[in-house]
Amino acid sequence: MAQETKNTEKKTKGTGPGTKLLVGEFLNYKRIWLISFVLTAAFAIIPVIFFAVLDYNLTRRALENDAEARAARLASNTWRSISFFLDERKNALSYVVRSNSLAQLEDTQQLTKTLNFLHQSFGGFTDIGIIDATGVQNAYAGPHGLAGKNYKDQQWFKDTMDHGISVSDVFLGFRNVPHISIALRHTTPDNSYVIIRATIEHQLPKIISEVKTSGNGDAFLINAQGVLQTPSHHFGAVLEKANIALPLATDQTRTMPITLEDGQNLISAFRHIPNTPFILVVLKSKQVIMSPWQDSQATVIKYLGISISVVLLWIGAVTAYFVRRLKYLDIKRSKYFHMAEYENKMASIGRLAAGVAHEINNPLAIINEKAGLIKDLAHFKQELKNEPRLLETVDIILASVKRCSRITRQLLSFGRQTQTTAVPLTLKSVLDEVLVFLVKEAQLKNIFIEIDVPDTLPQVVGNRGKLQQVLLNIVNNAFAAMPRDGRLSIKAEETDDAFVRLDISDSGCGISPENLKHIFEPFFSTKTNQGGTGLGLSITYGLVQEIGGRIKVESKVNEGTTFIVSLPTTTQKEE
């Protein structure tokens, strides 16, 4: 049996902003829930995210500053070691010049002893030589046999002659091996110049290699032209050109971020070593330095995500609960409003029925009186006795008047809703009062009505008007669900628990299982475009509960539906 309900959720007309929150006569609960959820979640989560992002950035910046400071400290400590190493060798050469005469220095044996002394005392010296003002090396001590070589075209020679002392870039020279030279200009008694020169090959890379650079870090020396003076992990071997931007010369350690061609982000510290052409570069991998912070931040973000998810779930559940309560109260309010409207309509129908019955009963009484007079006259007048057709017509008139009187009495009984207390009722008589108004519709649709309600059933207890309304709603639904040539079965029997069970079955289209569980909910309907209030079965359910009964429904699609109404009897009421 298809339920006589209707979903009244249709969007209201209007252009104001509030109209979007209304659907039919109800609020748009999905929109209310969404707005409530979004606003509550925003006020709860935005401050948390704001402070999390703020802490994230502050912590990152603090770690970056700390990494830059550590790189700067490492560069400062390293350049001091290199500067001390070079100053120590320059001072050693200066001591050799002051403690020996020119003749001693130009003596090869004495020069060899001096080299051995320097090597044993300080280390790092490869060879040593005395070069005159024309650039010719007059005396030489070392493994490479460079006596007699002319260095006048060498840059270090020119710098030494100009400034008195020089530390050269790394260069290949005559030996074709990367090395640096430390040279001092010495004035002879005859006011000419000689240069004492020593070379160093492997000490600077050794000092740089002792620098602790964790992870993918690097440390190396470079000159102002970008030529490597020591090997580099990232930029290649000695004397290769490094593609790196160098800061201006200053007596302070400078830090700056750089990005390699392979995309690595590095923190770099630069320091110009005084009185040398060298620039110390210390590189530290930003990824390695920031990895502990990233691990901790990943943990914080994970727990932040979990916390936000829990908050969102809680807010969603709470707002859904309150919106459901709002929906329940709104539906309940609307239901009672419609029930009051329905009761008012029934009362109006009752008053109208009383007026109509009164107006019909007056002419019926006259018709009945005149028909009786005609029948009496027929008995007294002999000529009328011989007219059987007249007497038959009078009997038909009297029978029709009696039938009309019965209909008006039933109409008055059905429309009368003044009874408020529960009284004993005969189920069959109440059923007859309802069916009398549906006979014509049953004839039009050729619906066969089968009634099996014994006269021996005990009386039920209830309100006549409410019981009439229950039966009328169920039978009307049955008629709506059945096509032509349908069948309606009404059967009643007494149960063991002092109730009368009334089964109203139809041969209609039936109700699907997913709709069956919502059949008694207010405003639920599968016939949204066919009119009605959508409250018929909901009101029916409430009326059955009010008179102390029970109602349930059984249905199969395309087979039919059965409403089972259990009504309390007088015996059950007494118990």
Side-chain angles (χ1 to χ4, degrees):
M1 181 186 297
Q3 60 274 28
E4 182 225 317
T5 58
K6 181 178 183 291
N7 189 342
T8 59
E9 296 188 358
K10 298 178 181 177
K11 288 187 178 178
T12 57
K13 297 180 180 178
T15 57
T19 59
K20 293 183 179 180
L21 295 177
L22 294 176
V23 179
E25 58 186 288
F26 300 111
L27 297 172
N28 188 336
Y29 303 105
K30 290 183 178 179
R31 187 176 180 84
I32 290 176
W33 177 85
L34 181 61
I35 293 175
S36 302
F37 176 80
V38 170
L39 292 178
T40 308
F43 280 106
I45 292 174
I46 287 178
V48 176
I49 295 177
F50 172 77
F51 286 109
V53 172
L54 183 64
D55 175 73
Y56 179 91
N57 291 326
L58 290 177
T59 306
R60 183 189 63 185
R61 187 58 190 161
L63 286 176
E64 289 178 350
N65 292 338
D66 181 66
E68 292 176 359
R70 282 187 289 169
R73 285 195 299 270
L74 181 59
S76 297
N77 295 333
T78 304
W79 83 259
R80 288 188 178 92
S81 298
I82 297 173
S83 180
F84 175 79
F85 173 84
L86 295 175
D87 288 344
E88 187 180 43
R89 270 91 191 135
K90 287 189 289 185
N91 292 333
L93 288 180
S94 178
Y95 171 76
V96 169
V97 171
R98 289 193 306 268
S99 60
N100 293 277
S101 64
L102 180 60
Q104 290 175 323
L105 291 175
E106 289 180 343
D107 182 30
T108 303
Q109 291 182 352
Q110 183 64 30
L111 195 60
T112 301
K113 291 180 180 180
T114 301
L115 176 62
N116 291 334
F117 168 76
L118 292 174
H119 188 73
Q120 292 174 1
S121 301
F122 301 98
F125 289 96
T126 302
D127 58 11
I128 190 171
I130 305 299
I131 303 168
D132 62 19
T134 63
V136 177
Q137 187 162 248
N138 296 323
Y140 173 79
H144 300 296
L146 298 178
K149 295 292 184 179
N150 193 319
Y151 294 99
K152 68 176 181 179
D153 295 328
Q154 299 285 334
Q155 184 62 43
W156 62 265
F157 179 82
K158 298 176 183 179
D159 292 340
T160 305
M161 293 299 291
D162 293 337
H163 303 293
I165 187 171
S166 72
V167 177
S168 72
D169 291 341
V170 175
F171 65 103
L172 297 177
F174 292 112
R175 71 185 70 174
N176 202 29
V177 174
H179 62 282
I180 66 172
S181 68
I182 300 176
L184 281 79
R185 186 185 66 191
H186 176 63
T187 304
T188 63
D190 58 356
N191 292 324
S192 64
Y193 296 108
V194 294
I195 294 175
I196 180 170
R197 169 184 177 268
T199 62
I200 299 172
E201 290 185 6
H202 306 295
Q203 292 299 313
L204 291 180
K206 184 178 179 181
I207 295 174
I208 296 296
S209 66
E210 294 175 354
V211 178
K212 303 295 183 181
T213 55
S214 59
N216 200 24
D218 195 4
F220 55 91
L221 292 176
I222 194 171
N223 63 12
Q225 290 74 39
V227 178
L228 291 174
Q229 305 295 289
T230 60
S232 169
H233 299 311
H234 294 293
F235 298 103
V238 178
L239 299 180
E240 289 188 9
K241 183 76 173 180
N243 184 19
I244 183 172
L246 298 174
L248 298 176
T250 177
D251 58 354
Q252 299 292 329
T253 302
R254 300 280 300 275
T255 60
M256 57 188 294
I258 63 173
T259 302
L260 301 181
E261 293 179 355
D262 58 1
Q264 293 187 63
N265 293 319
L266 302 176
I267 295 175
S268 61
F270 299 87
R271 178 61 189 247
H272 289 76
I273 300 177
N275 302 318
T276 71
F278 303 132
I279 302 172
L280 174 65
V281 181
V282 175
L283 301 179
K284 284 184 170 290
S285 173
K286 188 174 182 180
Q287 182 179 4
V288 174
I289 293 173
M290 303 295 287
S291 60
W293 169 78
Q294 290 172 346
D295 294 338
S296 63
Q297 289 298 314
T299 303
V300 171
I301 291 173
K302 180 178 71 174
Y303 285 111
L304 177 65
I306 294 174
S307 302
I308 290 176
S309 299
V310 172
V311 171
L312 290 177
L313 290 174
W314 175 253
I315 292 174
V318 171
T319 53
Y321 170 77
F322 284 113
V323 171
R324 283 197 303 269
R325 294 296 301 170
L326 176 63
K327 181 179 180 180
Y328 170 77
L329 293 175
D330 197 22
I331 290 177
K332 192 173 182 180
R333 174 197 60 80
S334 182
K335 175 182 175 181
Y336 285 130
F337 173 78
H338 281 287
M339 289 181 67
E341 184 181 16
Y342 191 84
E343 293 291 339
N344 185 53
K345 181 174 69 173
M346 293 300 295
S348 299
I349 291 175
R351 290 190 295 269
L352 178 62
V356 171
H358 177 73
E359 293 299 325
I360 292 176
N361 280 335
N362 287 334
L364 284 179
I366 296 174
I367 294 172
N368 185 63
E369 179 184 355
K370 299 305 180 183
L373 178 60
I374 293 173
K375 188 173 182 180
D376 291 340
L377 291 175
H379 282 289
F380 291 106
K381 291 188 177 182
Q382 189 64 34
E383 62 274 14
L384 295 178
K385 289 182 179 182
N386 297 325
E387 294 291 338
R389 186 175 179 183
L390 176 63
L391 296 176
E392 182 180 350
T393 301
V394 170
D395 290 336
I396 292 174
I397 292 173
L398 292 174
S400 298
V401 169
K402 186 176 181 181
R403 181 170 177 269
C404 288
S405 298
R406 185 174 69 253
I407 291 174
T408 55
R409 285 196 303 271
Q410 290 174 341
L411 184 62
L412 284 172
S413 175
F414 185 82
R416 189 178 296 114
Q417 300 288 331
T418 57
Q419 177 187 337
T420 58
T421 59
V423 296
L425 300 171
T426 301
L427 181 59
K428 188 171 184 180
S429 65
V430 178
L431 185 61
D432 290 339
E433 292 170 358
V434 171
L435 292 178
V436 71
F437 299 101
L438 302 171
V439 171
K440 187 59 66 176
E441 183 178 356
Q443 292 175 352
L444 291 174
K445 298 182 68 173
N446 198 26
I447 294 175
F448 177 73
I449 301 177
E450 179 183 4
I451 301 176
D452 184 9
V453 181
D455 295 330
T456 58
L457 286 176
Q459 289 184 314
V460 298
V461 179
N463 180 289
R464 178 179 292 273
K466 292 179 179 179
L467 184 56
Q468 288 174 344
Q469 189 173 341
V470 167
L471 297 176
L472 183 62
N473 285 343
I474 295 175
V475 176
N476 267 334
N477 272 6
F479 278 15
M482 288 187 293
R484 292 186 59 82
D485 303 323
R487 184 182 184 87
L488 178 67
S489 174
I490 303 176
K491 180 181 179 181
E493 61 182 2
E494 186 179 4
T495 62
D496 295 335
D497 54 352
F499 276 84
V500 171
R501 169 173 169 160
L502 179 64
D503 292 4
I504 304 176
S505 303
D506 66 69
S507 59
C509 58
I511 306 170
S512 63
E514 57 271 16
N515 291 331
L516 194 61
K517 57 185 177 183
H518 302 293
I519 193 69
F520 294 117
E521 292 180 5
F523 309 108
F524 174 80
S525 177
T526 58
K527 303 189 302 179
T528 58
N529 299 317
Q530 300 179 21
T533 64
L535 287 170
L537 291 179
S538 175
I539 292 175
T540 299
Y541 183 87
L543 293 175
V544 172
Q545 296 291 321
E546 289 177 13
I547 62 179
R550 302 187 297 265
I551 183 172
K552 62 180 181 179
V553 60
E554 297 174 354
S555 182
K556 291 184 179 180
V557 178
N558 298 326
E559 292 187 13
T561 302
T562 299
F563 278 87
I564 302 171
V565 182
S566 298
L567 301 171
T569 64
T570 53
T571 304
Q572 195 273 345
K573 193 69 175 178
E574 291 173 359
E575 293 175 356

